[in-house]
Structure formats: C-alpha cells, structure tokens
Amino acid sequence: MMRYQQEIDQAVNHYRALLESQIARAEGMNNAQTEMKKGKTVIGLAGGDGIGPIIVKQAEKALRKLLADEIASGQIKLRAIEGLTIENRLAKGQAVPADVLAAIKECDVLLKGPTTTPSGGTMESANVTLRRELDLFANVRPVSVPEAGIDWTFFRENTEGEYTLGSKGIEIPGMLTMDFKVTTVAGTRRIAKAAFDFAKANGKTHLAIVTKSNIMKKTDGMFSAICHEIANDYPGITVEEYYIDIMTANLINPAIRKKFQVFLLPNLYGDILTDEAAQLQGGVGTAGSANTGSRYAMFEAIHGSAPRMIEEGLGDYANPESILRAAVMLLRHIGLPSKANALDAAITNAAAACPVTGDKDGNTCEAFGDCLEKLL
Ligand code: IPM
Ligand code: MG
C-alpha cells in the first residue's frame, strides 16, 4: 500500500471538483464591458474595516458637496452599505454576508473602504469574493508623477491567477501544501481587450505585458500568447513583454520607466507591481483603483485597512487620498467627467495645502476632508 493513499485520493477528488468548477466558470464568462444604464444611479458606500470608515466618511462628504444638485433632483442616490465589517463577516462565517451582497447588487456602483482579511484559515478575502461575485474582471490603477514623466495605467486581471483558488488549496498535514493558479482563455481575452481598447481610445502607443512565462509556463505562457494575439488587432500600439522581476527594477529606473504607458498583467503581479508604482507617486495612500466588469463596478483605495494605524491610535490621521482618487474614477465611470476632473484637481490642491502624513505631524483625515470641501 502506497503511503498517503487516503490523502492522495482526497486531494484528487478535491482537484476534480476544482477543475469542474473552473470549467463551468470559464464557460459562463461574460465579455461585455460595463454599460451604465441611463437615468438614476445608485452609489453604494461601504466603510469596511480599520481606517476604512474614517476615509470613506471624507469621500462621502466630498461627493455630497460635488453632487448636491444631482442628489437633490434624485438623479443620483448615495446609499450606505452596512455589515461589510470583519466582526459581521466572522459572525456570519461568510466573506461577504449574503444580505450585504444583495444590498450591493442593488447599487450600480460601489465605493468601498478596505476590508480586513484574516491570514490563514479558510475565510476568503472580501475583495476576492466581491470581485468574483460581481465579476469585476478588470482592475484599473492609474499612477501619475508628472515631474518624473510617469503616466501609467495598469490593467490587472482581477478574478483569476493565484486568487481564484487561493482559499481552496490542498494540505497533507506535516508533509506538504499546494495552491493553484488558474488562467482561462476567456478570462485573458477580456482583460487583454480591455487594456488595448483603453490604450487605443486614449491615444497610448506603448503597452507592456508582464508575466513570468519562463517559469509559469502553462498559465503565464498562455496569458502571454493570447495578449500577443490580441495585439495584432491594434497595429498602432507597440507591445513589449517583460518578466515581472525585471519590471519591478524598471519601475525605479528613470532611464527606462518613462516609456511605459499601459501595463497588462495577471492578478498577483498586478497586485504587487501597483503597490510599487503607487509608492513612486507618494505612497499606497495616494492611489485609487477601479474594479470593473460586465454589470457592476467597484472603486476602492489600493491599500488595506491599516490595523497597525488603528492599534497605534493613528486612525484619525489616515490619508483619504487613495479613496478620493477612487471616487474620481467612479465619477468618470458614471459619465460625469467634469465632476471627476474637478474632484481630481481639488484633491491635488488639498494635498498641497493640507498634507496628511499618516502620523501626528500631519493633518487629520477630517481636516483634509474639510480643506477639500472648501476647494470644491
Ligand atoms: C489590492 C489588495 C487586495 C488584493 C487584498 C486586500 C485582498 O491588496 O486590492 O491590491 O490582494 O488584491
Ligand atoms: Mg494589493
């Protein structure tokens, strides 16, 4: 009798079920881009955990000022989404409790504060659940540092890679653990198309595909092949492929980084590289993130809930800039570009007039929000 036979049998059955679920997901995939329905727009506002409610409060204040007319006429509704807290999620044993998800699905777009993910265990990250349940396949993250010639837009695939089955790995206790990475043809096509369409529509001439296809030969290999194939439909765009390791170096190499415009990359590399990029812009507290799909869209800060800031009593000093930049993207998404530009400019001016450092030497989150409100 072979050793570990029972564990292997269990793992094989588990793996079979995973394969079946992933084939079903790929077959059901929707490729359409979000089309906002005309008329009334409901914007959900979810505080989340840690510094989340503190920063979302300031974003809500700015939106109420900026959208006062639209709210008064009923064209836009702001709706609070309760229950996306770690306490409620743990109590219900669900990454996003069913009633909270139903409430989110009744909104058109969501502005979401960061949510805490317990490390280890089997509780999935609320972000991952929401991205999957709302099928938010494109994670779009702009980073700009005009004085350094940096104007980048990252198109991070948002529902696949290491994230899809990250809570569904295999463990043979005392012996080994295995996680899985999933890349589908349909999932790669739709993010590649979204990135190239964006590039074309915005006059971008360079697109960098980022993989580690020399090592992850199946998943990244296919991601790369499909992206190059789609590139053929966009002759005006120069396409180059880089491995993720050298790309992390390139982002801090002033001689090279200026040429980058649009990045197209699988989920985990996108997660990592966008934090690095955000740091060049002034920190993860400064960058917004859009998660868009075929029906819904969710906008958030790119950083987490910062439990350390809360523990150290610094929550009130959290920087709301990242969630506010996300609100800019939300406004653009719902068809209000001039409001988006007004908010964007006001955030930049408020950051100069009323800097927040994340510590007591800077302004509080609320003081920043007050300063911003006056500039709107
Ligand atoms: C992000 C975050 C999330 C991610 C976490 C909170 C699950 O780091 O949006 O980049 O890993 O995608
Ligand atoms: Mg991240």
Side-chain angles (χ1 to χ4, degrees):
M1 176 81 174
M2 206 179 143
R3 292 166 69 218
Y4 293 104
Q5 199 55 57
Q6 197 186 340
E7 287 86 349
I8 293 171
D9 285 346
Q10 267 173 8
V12 169
N13 286 338
H14 178 72
Y15 187 56
R16 177 184 302 279
L18 294 183
L19 266 178
E20 285 167 0
S21 75
Q22 291 311 303
I23 290 171
R25 184 176 67 83
E27 280 178 344
M29 219 170 258
N30 189 342
N31 288 327
Q33 280 289 289
T34 308
E35 263 181 44
M36 283 306 302
K37 60 174 192 273
K38 299 269 177 289
K40 286 186 190 153
T41 304
V42 179
I43 303 174
L45 298 165
D49 301 309
I51 60 169
I54 300 168
I55 59 175
V56 170
K57 189 171 168 197
Q58 299 312 317
E60 175 173 358
K61 195 158 88 185
L63 287 175
R64 285 202 183 279
K65 173 89 187 274
L66 203 59
L67 300 173
D69 292 346
E70 291 79 1
I71 292 172
S73 73
Q75 186 200 331
I76 287 182
K77 264 202 166 81
L78 300 188
R79 185 181 293 166
I81 301 290
E82 309 290 350
L84 201 60
T85 59
I86 186 70
E87 294 79 14
N88 190 40
R89 290 182 286 129
L90 286 176
K92 300 250 170 73
Q94 289 175 302
V96 179
D99 57 332
V100 179
L101 183 61
I104 290 172
K105 284 187 169 175
E106 274 169 28
C107 302
D108 297 294
V109 292
L110 180 68
L111 187 69
K112 177 192 149 295
T115 44
T116 296
T117 308
S119 112
T122 52
M123 168 78 76
E124 190 173 57
S125 138
N127 271 40
V128 173
T129 307
L130 283 170
R131 288 168 186 169
R132 182 183 60 245
E133 294 298 325
L134 305 176
D135 200 23
L136 305 172
F137 65 85
N139 191 313
V140 186
R141 299 183 158 179
V143 165
S144 128
V145 189
E147 60 278 17
I150 292 174
D151 181 11
W152 296 332
T153 309
F154 292 83
F155 276 74
R156 164 191 178 188
E157 200 293 321
N158 211 23
T159 51
E160 304 208 326
E162 290 82 352
Y163 280 68
T164 318
L165 299 174
S167 309
K168 297 209 163 87
I170 284 172
E171 178 169 11
I172 300 186
M175 176 53 64
L176 60 78
T177 48
M178 260 192 203
D179 283 317
F180 302 105
K181 171 161 175 166
V182 189
T183 301
T184 65
V185 172
T188 306
R189 284 188 159 275
R190 64 183 184 173
I191 187 65
K193 217 175 158 309
F196 278 103
D197 282 346
F198 167 86
K200 190 174 171 188
N202 291 278
K204 308 286 184 191
T205 52
H206 188 277
L207 184 146
I209 301 166
V210 185
T211 68
K212 188 75 184 174
S213 59
N214 51 339
I215 301 298
M216 301 309 291
K217 291 181 187 277
K218 290 284 181 238
T219 48
D220 287 2
M222 189 182 78
F223 187 92
S224 159
I226 291 174
C227 292
H228 282 291
E229 183 192 312
I230 290 189
N232 292 330
D233 298 336
Y234 299 82
I237 299 168
T238 304
V239 175
E240 288 187 286
E241 180 167 357
Y242 291 85
Y243 296 136
I244 178 66
D245 48 351
I246 192 62
M247 192 51 110
T248 63
N250 287 343
L251 289 200
I252 51 171
N253 183 341
I256 294 182
R257 66 186 177 191
K258 282 196 201 113
K259 77 167 167 184
F260 297 124
Q261 297 176 352
V262 180
F263 296 81
L264 166 57
L265 64 184
N267 207 341
L268 185 59
Y269 310 141
D271 178 44
I272 296 167
L273 206 63
T274 54
D275 268 15
E276 188 194 4
Q279 187 61 37
L280 294 170
Q281 178 183 265
V284 292
T286 64
S289 167
N291 301 264
T292 63
S294 44
R295 164 71 184 89
Y296 298 99
M298 174 172 92
F299 300 82
E300 59 186 347
I302 80 161
H303 56 75
S305 57
R308 245 177 309 211
M309 286 190 78
I310 299 290
E311 270 162 36
E312 288 166 17
L314 294 173
D316 288 339
Y317 294 85
N319 190 352
E321 187 172 340
S322 182
I323 194 85
L324 286 161
R325 299 281 182 200
V328 170
M329 298 177 88
L330 183 152
L331 291 168
R332 205 157 278 141
H333 182 82
I334 63 173
L336 299 173
S338 57
K339 302 266 183 197
N341 293 341
L343 180 57
D344 207 27
I347 298 167
T348 303
N349 292 335
C354 204
V356 177
T357 62
D359 211 333
K360 292 188 177 160
D361 60 348
N363 284 289
T364 62
C365 186
E366 186 169 8
F368 183 93
D370 291 342
C371 173
L372 177 68
E373 199 181 20
K374 290 198 191 93
L375 291 166
L376 288 170

